[in-house]
Amino acid sequence: MLEWGGESIPYLFVSRMRIPAVITIDGPAGAGKSTLGALLAEYLGYLYFDTGVMYRALTLVVLRAGLDLAAEEALETLAAQVHILVVPPTVADGRHYTVLVDDEDVTWAIRDPEIERNVSQVARYPGVRRELIRQQRAIAQGGRVVMVGRDIGTIVMPDAELKLFLETSLDERARRRTDERHSTGTTLPLPVVRADLARRDNLDQHVLYPASDAVILHTDGMTPADELAWVIDYLQRR
Ligand code: DC
């Protein structure tokens, strides 16, 4: 039995569903894409791949190299050179995967506030996106993957058979983020979290729209278990 926050999620008749080889989940920061993506992948026995980690890992390398964030060409070159690998968890510390950059474990380092502050700018450059998207497509080609990001249904895998787009109000996202931080012992006031999410929405706007054939899931008031049940039900009914 799969569990989320003490809630059990019953296994349904997976074998009777025709499951798409690639499922994409897009939506704004804090909408719960990663949580739903990881749950759904575990449920289906699929690979879970969060594309945001690639932009974050590249940002880490850029900052460490002391590169000017405005040096678009240098960033583009780096995107093609740096070796980012996402593998199953190598440490049992709550992570869903391990992120390696040139063999260094950067799984937690890419969650640093400094990365958070700068990643959107790195992700804006078309050349950077082109290179990372090429790598993302190569990963998705293998099939049996739940791929999470902003532009997965629109740009990376437009032919994916199931494209989910999560819509969650800014207030709800801010509340959830604040609660998450409380549970990990780090506290930030709600208005600060809300303002940061609004800032990121604005910076990510260029990729933040659903594919014309995406299924929109409004998640306000839903728990991750509710969302998973909704998706399984959708897969069974379609
Ligand atoms: O989902 P996240 O917070 O880890 O994403 C980090 C940044 O990368 C964020 O600014 C959006 C960007 N991103 C993107 O532009 N395209 C994706 N497919 C995934 C993330």
Side-chain angles (χ1 to χ4, degrees):
M1 187 78 72
L2 202 56
E3 289 211 359
W4 173 261
E7 246 186 287
S8 298
I9 301 163
Y11 274 108
L12 301 170
F13 297 105
V14 177
S15 59
R16 287 168 60 182
M17 292 190 270
R18 204 173 49 78
I19 306 167
V22 177
I23 299 176
T24 67
I25 307 181
D26 293 302
K33 303 181 297 293
S34 306
T35 306
L36 175 60
L39 272 176
L40 183 60
E42 189 184 349
Y43 188 93
L44 298 174
Y46 274 30
L47 171 73
Y48 163 58
F49 195 89
D50 176 1
T51 57
V53 305
M54 299 184 86
Y55 293 96
R56 287 171 179 267
L58 179 62
T59 305
L60 179 79
V61 176
V62 168
L63 294 176
R64 278 187 182 171
L67 282 176
D68 180 356
L69 284 179
E72 184 171 353
E73 250 178 65
L75 266 58
E76 219 178 291
T77 307
L78 202 59
Q81 284 171 348
V82 66
H83 195 222
I84 303 166
L85 210 57
V86 183
V87 298
T90 51
V91 185
D93 58 0
R95 63 180 65 187
H96 289 301
Y97 44 73
T98 291
V99 185
L100 299 170
V101 170
D102 296 329
D103 291 334
E104 181 192 344
D105 183 347
V106 298
T107 311
W108 296 118
I110 61 171
R111 299 289 152 193
D112 194 85
E114 212 199 340
I115 304 294
E116 200 93 17
R117 269 196 300 278
N118 293 293
V119 64
S120 297
Q121 185 174 346
V122 173
R124 286 192 79 83
Y125 296 129
V128 165
R129 301 197 72 82
R130 211 176 307 121
E131 176 55 30
L132 296 190
I133 287 171
R134 190 187 62 74
Q135 297 180 26
Q136 290 158 18
R137 285 190 182 134
I139 292 159
Q141 285 320 325
R144 296 181 62 85
V145 60
V146 177
M147 192 167 265
V148 168
R150 303 289 189 289
D151 58 345
I152 311 304
T154 48
I155 310 283
V156 181
M157 296 303 290
D159 295 332
E161 233 186 287
L162 177 60
K163 301 167 191 171
L164 298 165
F165 190 90
L166 303 191
E167 286 206 313
T168 315
S169 69
L170 182 58
D171 284 331
E172 171 110 358
R173 287 185 282 137
R175 229 178 355 258
R176 288 184 194 166
R177 272 278 152 98
T178 310
D179 291 348
E180 261 168 38
R181 292 215 159 98
H182 271 298
S183 67
T184 57
T186 46
T187 49
L188 273 178
L190 185 78
V192 174
V193 175
R194 191 182 188 283
D196 186 55
L197 285 170
R199 180 188 68 88
R200 293 186 59 196
D201 285 354
N202 200 29
L203 288 168
D204 295 340
Q205 219 171 13
H206 62 116
V207 277
L208 209 48
Y209 54 92
S212 56
D213 56 347
V215 178
I216 313 277
L217 178 54
H218 298 273
T219 77
D220 279 50
M222 291 176 92
T223 65
D226 293 337
E227 294 169 18
L228 177 66
W230 189 95
V231 176
I232 302 299
D233 183 53
Y234 178 84
L235 282 169
Q236 284 181 316
R237 281 188 295 104
R238 90 200 162 104

